[in-house]
Amino acid sequence: MSKRLQVCLGIMLMIFFIPFKASAMHIMEGFLQPGWAIAWGAFTIPFVVLGLFKINKTVKENPRVKILLAMAGAFAFVLSALKLPSVTGSCSHPTGVGLGAILFGPTTMSVLGLIVLLFQAILLAHGGLTTLGANTFSMAVVGPLVSFGVYKLVMKGKGPQWLAVFLAAALGDLVTYMTTSVQLALAFPAEVGGFAASLAKFMGIFAVTQIPLAISEGILTVIIFNAISAYAKDELQDLNLLVKEA
């Protein structure tokens, strides 16, 4: 992909992602019953603990990665703060976790994602403290795990690196919302049809807005990844954060 085309795509995506006012973000404060809020928080804790150990080890071995860690967190913060309103008690938005998962692994993004969601809940009223565990599990645990797995799978299959980055970011985004749909369907099963009917409703609503967003996030992540590779390629390879194309 030429640099001129990358710049044009970047400008188009920036215009597409210009935020506008919405009344909610992530699963909003107080939306889940206490039992579900506590359960999702408990499921999230082990990934965050592993992530803290991973970050500590990574920074000790390579102190220069602090800037890249901050950049990965900032990328997730900016993209996940952009939103499209829906009628489900949540909002559709890019997640931005794919890039960090590729560079540092999924558990590192669990910690960065938790920090991002905590700041958004406190400073922007996006999501909430009672739903922090559920939002962290979907966006900062499941999303990065899928992104990391897809990236490794494509690279192991000798696929082009740009395709690995695109699929990792796009599918990590989509699966995040599939997980949110499951969380909401479990908490609010339909009177007729129960969990399955509720899941079909949430999946249908999210898919309308999330599929084009996921594709856009995949393209934007490829552009950012290429920019990092161009300006810090030697450093990334020295730090084992960039996999050489076959």
Side-chain angles (χ1 to χ4, degrees):
M1 185 181 295
S2 68
K3 290 185 177 179
R4 180 174 297 179
L5 181 57
Q6 290 184 30
V7 171
C8 291
L9 283 172
I11 293 173
M12 291 174 61
L13 290 168
M14 287 176 64
I15 295 173
F16 181 73
F17 281 141
I18 288 176
F20 53 88
K21 185 176 181 180
S23 58
M25 186 67 178
H26 309 295
I27 300 178
M28 61 185 176
E29 182 70 274
F31 197 70
L32 293 178
Q33 302 94 327
W36 284 115
I38 294 171
W40 290 118
F43 294 151
T44 300
I45 288 175
F47 296 95
V48 174
V49 172
L50 289 174
L52 289 172
F53 282 111
K54 176 70 183 302
I55 290 175
N56 185 52
K57 180 182 178 182
T58 302
V59 171
K60 278 187 176 179
E61 293 176 350
N62 303 290
R64 290 178 297 176
V65 302
K66 290 178 181 177
I67 295 177
L68 286 176
L69 274 170
M71 187 206 69
F75 186 72
F77 182 87
V78 172
L79 261 66
S80 62
L82 309 177
K83 65 254 186 183
L84 292 171
S86 71
V87 295
T88 60
S90 179
C91 277
S92 294
H93 57 84
T95 65
V97 297
L99 179 65
I102 292 168
L103 294 175
F104 297 106
T107 56
T108 296
M109 279 313 297
S110 296
V111 177
L112 296 182
L114 171 62
I115 296 171
V116 165
L117 289 164
L118 180 62
F119 273 99
Q120 289 181 349
I122 295 174
L123 301 178
L124 304 178
H126 293 169
L129 296 178
T130 62
T131 55
L132 186 61
N135 288 325
T136 302
F137 188 84
S138 62
M139 195 185 92
V141 174
V142 178
L145 281 172
V146 171
S147 293
F148 183 77
V150 169
Y151 178 79
K152 290 296 184 183
L153 186 64
V154 175
M155 294 305 295
K156 189 176 181 180
K158 307 299 181 184
Q161 194 166 45
W162 68 265
L163 180 61
V165 173
F166 171 79
L167 291 176
L171 293 178
D173 180 308
L174 275 179
V175 174
T176 292
Y177 273 87
M178 292 173 66
T179 304
T180 301
S181 298
V182 171
Q183 291 172 321
L184 293 173
L186 285 170
F188 304 100
E191 293 184 3
V192 179
F195 168 79
S198 184
L199 180 62
K201 181 188 70 174
F202 286 120
M203 286 280 193
I205 293 173
F206 279 133
V208 173
T209 53
Q210 202 58 32
I211 289 177
L213 277 177
I215 294 172
S216 300
E217 181 175 343
I219 296 172
L220 182 62
T221 304
V222 171
I223 294 172
I224 298 299
F225 189 87
N226 288 343
I228 294 174
S229 301
Y231 290 103
K233 185 173 184 178
D234 293 338
E235 183 181 13
L236 290 179
Q237 288 177 343
D238 290 343
L239 299 173
N240 295 319
L241 296 177
L242 180 63
V243 179
K244 293 181 179 179
E245 286 191 75

